[in-house]
Amino acid sequence: MNQTIFPEAFEGAVPVPIAASGSVQAELVAASAIDAALLWAWQELDRQTAGTNVFFESKVLPAALAHCDPDGRAQLFLLWQGIPRLSQLIGLMPLSLEPLYGNRPVPNWQNWLHPNAFLGNPLIEHGHERAFWEALLAYCDAHAGRGLFFHLDCFALDDPASRTLFNLCKEQRRRCDVVRRHERAFLQSPLGAGAYYEQAVRSKKRKELRRQTRRLEDMGALTFDRSEGGEGLERWIDEFLALEAAGWKGQEESALGSQADTRGLFCEMLGALAEAGRLELLALRFEGAPIAMLVNLRSGEGVFSFKTTFDEAFARFSPGVLLQIENYALLDRPDVAWADSCAAPDHPMIDSLWTERRAIGRVSIAIGGKARRLAFDALRKAEDWMAARHGDTA
């Protein structure tokens, strides 16, 4: 049978039939069209795809759209098992037509992300990966508009959905290039917390950390607390935002509390995840005041280590590292299989503590007709030439 795309967000658009197994339907809807029926289906998709991408789940993405996309550029690409709203939702990704590619005026379709979303992979129910990418690429082909190509940012390169995408593009002879690739710290091991710490951190460094802990304890009361945000969440959030604002991020106005949109999103998403029992808050305190804090977001058997901050006045005691040692307790939990650091590549602190790595990349994909694809080829040749000139590799 055929799957049919209904591009409702574009007036005058016609359905695009795509040969596929089964009968599915897709639609592109604005954030303002998120209603109770969609949220119910979305929550079920969250359960089916738990661990895939917490940033696109129903507890997080609607709040992100409300706070970080005031102009309504982003829309939701939805794949349904049958009639939209009346059948099972089997795939979801936020999309936007962006006017810039980096700092160049090259319009392109992208997976929509806000600055504090650290993964861009779609939610796709297992077994429907091919149908999702077929539908999405067919939509981009038929309705590319001003977009020269389709770009995926902050894209995990090692999961079933990404491998399906790469294989599909190869079958379709559709150019699909990983234009940038890096690895970030990841935690996944059969070892328990203590054994992992010993194999990951050199003996000399462990000795130094014990010395720093003793020095802090000699100076005053050093305590550690862990909670799920059930009580005192508002106070904890205020402490975190104040601590972050007191450091270099506050000086550069990049702290979460520096802007109303990021502050609002932080408060709303932590509240929603706490209510769902999927939030973990860690704090290292000296004389009752926080000197390091960490936010973990739970999704299925996975943990996204979302945000951390520390008191720079205590930097010589490595409070952020001491808190991460407490975070090794994730390895002793039977309900946790892995943790993603959400960190920048080559992060000097977490890279020395978590020894596994997750491959993350930016992927550019050809869409549309022959002329558009030739223009995309020319862009990619120019990118490759510039990368070679500056010694960069994907």
Side-chain angles (χ1 to χ4, degrees):
M1 297 179 69
N2 287 338
Q3 66 180 19
T4 304
I5 301 191
F6 294 97
E8 296 178 352
F10 291 82
E11 293 183 0
V14 296
V16 183
I18 308 165
S21 59
S23 180
V24 299
Q25 295 182 14
E27 60 176 351
L28 195 66
V29 302
S32 59
I34 298 175
D35 56 16
L38 175 53
L39 278 175
W40 185 90
W42 195 342
Q43 290 165 7
E44 180 59 29
L45 180 64
D46 291 345
R47 287 188 284 270
Q48 296 296 326
T49 62
T52 300
N53 186 356
V54 70
F55 300 103
F56 286 174
E57 292 181 7
S58 62
K59 299 291 184 185
V60 178
L61 184 55
L65 292 168
H67 289 284
C68 303
D69 185 35
D71 298 329
R73 291 201 326 271
Q75 299 182 81
L76 297 178
F77 182 85
L78 308 172
L79 187 67
W80 300 86
Q81 185 71 62
I83 299 174
R85 306 299 202 285
L86 300 178
S87 62
Q88 184 177 352
L89 182 63
I90 56 177
L92 177 149
M93 175 184 275
L95 299 179
S96 60
L97 180 60
E98 296 294 330
L100 298 177
Y101 176 52
N103 58 3
R104 288 167 287 181
V106 182
N108 64 100
W109 285 96
Q110 289 191 18
N111 55 339
W112 181 83
L113 296 170
H114 60 87
N116 291 293
F118 303 112
L119 195 64
N121 292 57
L123 303 183
I124 311 174
E125 185 178 345
H126 179 67
H128 296 282
E129 292 87 356
R130 183 182 179 93
F132 179 86
W133 292 120
E134 283 182 337
L136 179 55
L137 293 175
Y139 179 83
C140 290
D141 286 341
H143 305 283
R146 293 183 296 112
L148 178 60
F149 61 99
F150 177 48
H151 187 69
L152 290 162
D153 194 8
C154 209
F155 192 64
L157 303 173
D158 53 2
D159 72 355
S162 58
R163 290 191 291 270
T164 300
L165 172 63
F166 298 145
N167 289 335
L168 177 63
C169 288
K170 184 177 181 180
E171 290 177 22
Q172 294 181 346
R173 298 188 178 182
R174 181 191 299 271
R175 184 164 188 171
C176 175
D177 295 346
V178 178
V179 298
R180 190 73 67 212
R181 183 186 188 279
H182 70 266
E183 293 185 337
R184 70 186 183 204
F186 197 74
L187 184 68
Q188 185 175 36
S189 174
L191 298 176
Y196 189 93
Y197 177 43
E198 290 186 0
Q199 68 89 29
V201 181
R202 292 177 293 109
S203 175
K204 183 177 179 181
K205 179 63 175 177
R206 298 199 305 272
K207 182 178 179 181
E208 172 64 14
L209 291 170
R210 289 194 297 269
R211 185 185 67 82
Q212 291 171 322
T213 301
R214 287 195 299 270
R215 287 183 61 192
L216 280 171
E217 291 173 337
D218 290 342
M219 293 167 55
L222 184 67
T223 58
F224 165 76
D225 59 69
R226 185 193 311 267
S227 78
E228 295 183 351
E231 295 182 3
L233 178 60
E234 185 175 343
R235 178 176 177 272
W236 199 98
I237 289 175
D238 288 342
E239 287 182 320
F240 184 98
L241 293 175
L243 187 60
E244 187 181 52
W248 65 269
K249 287 187 178 181
Q251 296 173 2
E252 296 185 359
E253 297 188 349
S254 62
L256 289 166
S258 298
Q259 307 296 330
D261 56 353
T262 52
R263 182 188 184 95
L265 172 59
F266 187 67
C267 294
E268 186 171 342
M269 65 183 286
L270 263 59
L273 290 170
E275 185 177 349
R278 294 172 46 204
L279 182 67
E280 185 175 59
L281 307 172
L282 285 70
L284 186 68
R285 299 179 182 274
F286 180 76
E287 293 291 297
I291 59 174
M293 306 181 81
L294 172 66
V295 178
N296 285 333
L297 312 179
R298 293 285 311 279
S299 179
E301 293 183 334
V303 170
F304 292 83
S305 199
F306 177 53
K307 286 288 178 177
T308 187
T309 189
F310 70 95
D311 188 336
E312 294 176 7
F314 286 80
R316 67 186 184 277
F317 299 105
S318 304
V321 176
L322 296 179
L323 188 60
Q324 284 293 346
I325 293 172
E326 298 290 345
N327 200 32
Y328 277 142
L330 292 171
L331 293 167
D332 293 330
R333 294 178 54 170
D335 58 338
V336 174
W338 53 265
D340 186 335
S341 69
C342 298
D346 303 317
H347 193 283
M349 185 267 283
I350 199 64
D351 277 14
S352 67
L353 299 175
W354 293 11
T355 59
E356 294 74 47
R357 297 292 179 263
R358 186 175 205 180
I360 302 292
R362 290 168 42 203
V363 180
S364 292
I365 303 172
I367 58 174
K370 183 177 181 180
R372 194 183 305 268
R373 297 192 186 200
L374 287 173
F376 174 60
D377 286 342
L379 173 69
R380 287 294 303 119
K381 287 178 182 178
E383 279 192 297
D384 288 343
W385 181 82
M386 289 295 293
R389 183 181 180 186
H390 292 94
D392 296 334
T393 57

